[in-house]
Amino acid sequence: MHALFTVFGKEVLENFRDRRTLLSALLFGPLFGPLLFGAMVSRMLDQSVTESDEILSFSISGDAKAPNLTRFLESHGVHLKKSTLSESEARAEVSRGKTQVVLIVPSEYAERFSAAMPAPLLLVADSTDSQARKTAERARMLLANYNSGIAQLRLQMRGVDPLLAMPIAVNEVDIATPSGKAVIVLGFMTYFVLFAVLMGGLYLAIDSTAGERERGSLEALLCLPVARLSLVGGKILATCAFMALSLAISLAAFVVVFQFVPLERLGMSTNLNASTAVLLFVICLPFIPLGATLMTFVASFTRSYREAQTYLTSVLLVPTLPIAFASIYSLRTKSSLMLIPSLSQHLLMTSVLKDEPIAIADFWVSAGSSLFFAAFLGWLVVRLWRRDALLG
Amino acid sequence: MIEVHSLCKRFGTVQAVKDLSFVAHNGQISGLLGPNGAGKSTCLRMVYGVLTPDSGSARIDGLEMRGETSLARARLGVLPHATGLYGNLTARENIAYFGALHGISRASIRARVTKLSRTLNMQEFIDRRAKGFSQGQRIKVALARALIHEPQNLLLDEPTNGLDVMAIRNLREMLLQLKAEGHCVVFSSHVMQEVAALCDQVVIIGQGRVLAHDTPMAIRAASGAPTLEAAFIQLLDGAGASI
């Protein structure tokens, strides 16, 4: 036990003196998530604001041939840019990106309109440009309104009740937004938290295994009258300590970021304060030994620092898989899902952030399964360290 | 005392060490001499227990390396071929870390590091971080690290590699000092003069086997060659090995 703490103390001291480890474990890893998250959410909010509030504006060609339509559009607040573009000119302008949307009134419009025949209109836009697509969509809706207005007038003039032409009236009730966005946002956030946890221990896991071998200090260490369990246990414990520190920094940064991001506009209550952060910390705590043993296990296989780095970068993606799975199938918190590490932490954290109650049994199952996997991986690591091939 | 009895080790199809036996006594310096790839490092690795022999055994002061590992290791100091240090720790911290892992108290570690730093002439860099150390400085720290628990037996794998003349001289004096104190010292080398000048007995290894085991003088006399080097080459030629 004494040897285990000696190894632990030395690894912590050594890595606190290593600038690369400190930068990645305590700065880049834990702060990357909160900053990106803040920027992303602000951007999402900006976008949803512009969509509904912005003035609709597009070009119109041949407006003189449809004065009634032009008046209608202008009375609905459309900013019309008058032009004299032909169809081919309009296509060219749009494809070059000079104009987003052009409404063309062809020459036969007036004649067909007076004859109560369908009068053609051309709406030119590039649907791969998301901004143009939204403008065109809004223009189409206004034109549809104009269309049904004229149709009703014509029916009335001919003594027909316009309601006859409206057999059904569909009323949409959209409950997806904005809380749907909130789910995605929470998924990002919990991933960033788990990412920070892993980043915190990444370099330590490499340095204390593959790094030690590459430096040539491993052989001398293995000659000591110390059980391999103590050696590798101390190293894993040190990795855990850095991961816990990184987690704490990350959560603190999220608490700060949440003060500045108006999440309530996405339908989320901003209840990430100091006490919920502590709760999130406790939820993530069992994930730490799992991550540490997983990374140490992978790094113990590799022969060099560089090789370990390559493999461990993919390990960083492992916790995304269950979370991605959860958002694709929109999984809800279920006790059986608590058996899956990273997914269970994601679900529990999401519940806390949404201010939903969490079952204490779920927490124990989540913690238990993570610790079980950690113990299994730890056992594998010790076995690996007992092999002759460890020295390579 | 280090006793090696019928050690065998095979890596795939290569028989690296076969039926290798020798005894290194207290108060003597024993040299393992052999060309590159003769099996010296493999043999030493089995003696200090980081490699499991296919058969045979190694004993440190009568303690089985496999079975009584911890006790045997406590009586053994090792300077492996790779003398890597922890770059972010000072020389003193590097040495103290190994002392702590041996279970030595802080106070005696402090006293011993001071003493070792004087004998190995390390005062100048003892409190500097090991990152930029020269090969000579690294070996000194690694040697101090191997001696921190004051072991009765010392194993050194090619300790003079990369050392300059002065450093080799210091090392030689140090080993003679340990011998005078009654320690058992074993080192491997492929440098003839070193072995001839220092060793009480020489074990010549070629192709994983012991080709000769005697005092340098006796080996030379038995072969009828004028120098130990000539005797060495004669032995290897006889065994069909190449240098």
Side-chain angles (χ1 to χ4, degrees):
Chain A
M1 222 39 191
H2 173 75
L4 190 144
F5 287 114
T6 305
V7 175
F8 169 78
K10 173 252 162 193
E11 294 294 348
V12 169
L13 173 71
E14 196 189 0
N15 282 283
F16 258 114
R17 287 183 185 168
D18 190 86
R19 196 172 301 145
R20 179 168 51 175
T21 311
L22 279 191
L23 277 180
S24 82
L26 306 181
L27 205 69
F28 175 71
L31 296 186
F32 169 74
L35 292 179
L36 187 66
F37 178 81
M40 211 167 59
V41 173
S42 306
R43 173 98 186 89
M44 272 170 81
L45 285 170
D46 284 351
Q47 236 168 12
S48 57
V49 169
T50 48
E51 269 166 39
S52 48
D53 296 353
E54 212 177 19
I55 294 169
L56 179 59
S57 158
F58 54 85
S59 297
I60 184 165
S61 167
D63 56 293
K65 281 166 267 176
N68 199 18
L69 173 66
T70 311
R71 253 197 314 281
F72 171 83
L73 290 174
E74 278 171 342
S75 72
H76 280 78
V78 180
H79 184 320
L80 287 174
K81 281 174 278 185
K82 311 266 166 84
S83 71
T84 52
L85 297 168
S86 70
E87 187 190 335
S88 54
E89 283 166 345
R91 280 170 181 269
E93 288 252 315
V94 169
S95 67
R96 267 187 282 127
K98 282 187 79 180
T99 314
Q100 278 192 330
V101 176
V102 185
L103 180 67
I104 299 175
V105 185
S107 48
E108 68 265 35
Y109 176 86
E111 192 189 325
R112 286 179 71 92
F113 192 88
S114 334
M117 301 282 282
L121 283 173
L122 271 176
L123 193 63
V124 184
D126 180 359
S127 69
T128 52
D129 175 348
S130 66
Q131 200 60 47
R133 195 176 58 226
K134 276 176 200 149
T135 307
E137 181 64 34
R138 287 173 71 188
R140 202 155 39 233
M141 272 169 59
L142 271 179
L143 291 173
N145 283 348
Y146 180 69
N147 187 35
S148 62
I150 298 293
Q152 282 175 32
L153 276 175
R154 284 180 181 170
L155 289 172
Q156 252 168 350
M157 281 164 65
R158 284 160 182 77
V160 182
D161 185 352
L163 290 179
L164 278 177
M166 280 189 274
I168 56 166
V170 179
N171 289 314
E172 262 185 278
V173 185
D174 187 1
I175 57 160
T177 49
S179 58
K181 276 180 183 159
V183 171
I184 298 169
V185 167
L186 287 177
F188 278 126
M189 181 192 155
T190 56
Y191 172 64
F192 283 137
V193 171
L194 295 178
F195 173 81
V197 171
L198 290 176
M199 265 314 263
L202 180 76
Y203 279 100
L204 222 143
I206 298 175
D207 195 67
S208 63
T209 54
E212 180 124 36
R213 178 168 18 193
E214 195 167 278
R215 269 196 310 264
S217 52
L218 184 61
E219 193 160 348
L221 190 66
L222 296 181
C223 294
L224 295 170
V226 176
R228 302 278 163 99
L229 176 67
S230 301
L231 288 182
V232 83
K235 285 167 185 292
I236 291 176
L237 204 61
T239 308
C240 288
F242 267 72
M243 290 167 90
L245 204 55
S246 175
L247 172 62
I249 294 171
S250 178
L251 286 173
F254 266 117
V255 171
V256 174
V257 165
F258 269 48
Q259 307 295 314
F260 295 101
V261 179
L263 278 170
E264 60 280 349
R265 278 165 64 185
L266 282 177
M268 279 169 66
S269 50
T270 51
N271 67 333
L272 185 64
N273 51 39
S275 62
T276 33
V278 169
L279 202 55
L280 295 183
F281 185 83
V282 173
I283 288 171
C284 287
L285 217 47
F287 184 73
I288 289 176
L290 174 59
T293 48
L294 177 65
M295 290 194 293
T296 309
F297 178 69
V298 174
S300 297
F301 263 119
T302 56
R303 305 215 157 267
S304 65
Y305 208 102
R306 201 169 259 275
E307 198 186 346
Q309 224 169 352
T310 311
Y311 285 118
L312 282 185
T313 322
S314 15
V315 171
L316 286 180
L317 295 176
V318 170
T320 35
L321 298 179
I323 297 175
F325 187 76
S327 37
I328 291 168
Y329 291 95
S330 53
L331 296 175
R332 307 205 123 256
T333 311
K334 252 196 303 188
S335 293
S336 56
L337 294 177
M338 289 298 140
L339 291 170
I340 306 167
S342 105
L343 178 60
S344 68
Q345 276 86 18
H346 161 73
L347 291 173
L348 287 173
M349 282 196 277
T350 310
S351 294
V352 169
L353 288 168
K354 283 192 192 161
D355 232 349
E356 289 169 1
I358 54 172
I360 199 76
D362 281 354
F363 168 76
W364 287 117
V365 173
S366 157
S369 80
S370 296
L371 291 175
F372 171 78
F373 283 113
F376 175 68
L377 280 167
W379 176 75
L380 283 181
V381 171
V382 173
R383 274 184 60 113
L384 216 55
W385 272 63
R386 285 193 178 137
R387 294 188 318 161
D388 282 351
L390 184 67
L391 283 173
Chain B
M1 188 166 69
I2 297 173
E3 298 158 275
V4 174
H5 184 65
S6 305
L7 281 181
C8 291
K9 183 72 184 177
R10 174 187 283 279
F11 296 112
T13 56
V14 181
Q15 185 75 48
V17 170
K18 46 192 161 208
D19 202 23
L20 202 142
S21 307
F22 66 88
V23 177
H25 298 282
N26 288 341
Q28 281 195 353
I29 299 179
S30 308
L32 293 188
L33 193 59
N36 294 328
K40 300 185 300 279
S41 285
T42 306
C43 166
L44 288 178
R45 279 180 162 187
M46 287 190 280
V47 175
Y48 56 75
V50 296
L51 211 56
T52 317
D54 296 334
S55 64
S57 65
R59 267 189 242 156
I60 316 294
D61 290 344
L63 297 159
E64 276 296 339
M65 182 46 85
R66 304 190 51 71
E68 297 161 292
T69 312
S70 288
L71 290 172
R73 280 190 171 147
R75 306 194 57 82
L76 185 66
V78 181
L79 182 78
H81 191 66
T83 51
L85 304 176
Y86 302 109
N88 282 316
L89 300 185
T90 65
R92 187 188 297 278
E93 286 164 341
N94 266 288
I95 302 166
Y97 176 47
F98 274 56
L101 286 176
H102 272 291
I104 306 168
S105 74
R106 269 165 197 267
S108 30
I109 288 174
R110 207 173 307 130
R112 287 181 197 183
V113 172
T114 311
K115 198 176 137 213
L116 281 167
S117 145
R118 216 175 17 238
T119 18
L120 288 168
N121 206 2
M122 302 194 293
Q123 291 99 324
E124 211 180 294
F125 56 86
I126 189 77
D127 286 312
R128 261 176 34 204
R129 295 212 185 154
K131 212 168 252 171
F133 279 11
S134 70
Q135 176 69 4
Q137 290 170 324
R138 267 210 298 277
I139 296 218
K140 281 181 180 180
V141 178
L143 193 60
R145 188 166 75 172
L147 292 170
I148 186 70
H149 58 302
E150 300 182 337
Q152 171 61 28
N153 306 279
L154 186 61
L155 276 182
L156 310 108
D157 194 358
E158 310 239 359
T160 52
N161 258 7
L163 291 188
D164 62 23
V165 184
M166 276 313 289
I168 292 180
R169 227 178 127 95
N170 285 342
L171 179 70
R172 203 183 297 155
E173 278 161 19
M174 165 112 201
L175 296 185
L176 288 170
Q177 171 73 30
L178 287 167
K179 170 190 160 180
E181 288 169 11
H183 291 276
C184 168
V185 179
V186 174
F187 78 93
S188 74
S189 178
H190 56 262
V191 184
M192 210 64 49
Q193 297 85 332
E194 222 170 82
V195 177
L198 210 54
C199 295
D200 300 293
Q201 61 156 345
V202 179
V203 182
I204 296 183
I205 298 179
Q207 297 193 313
R209 287 183 294 127
V210 175
L211 301 178
H213 179 188
D214 215 328
T215 61
M217 201 90 84
I219 289 177
R220 208 180 49 189
S223 69
T227 60
L228 183 63
E229 185 170 317
F232 175 69
I233 289 169
Q234 216 172 338
L235 279 164
L236 290 177
D237 281 345
S242 55
I243 303 174

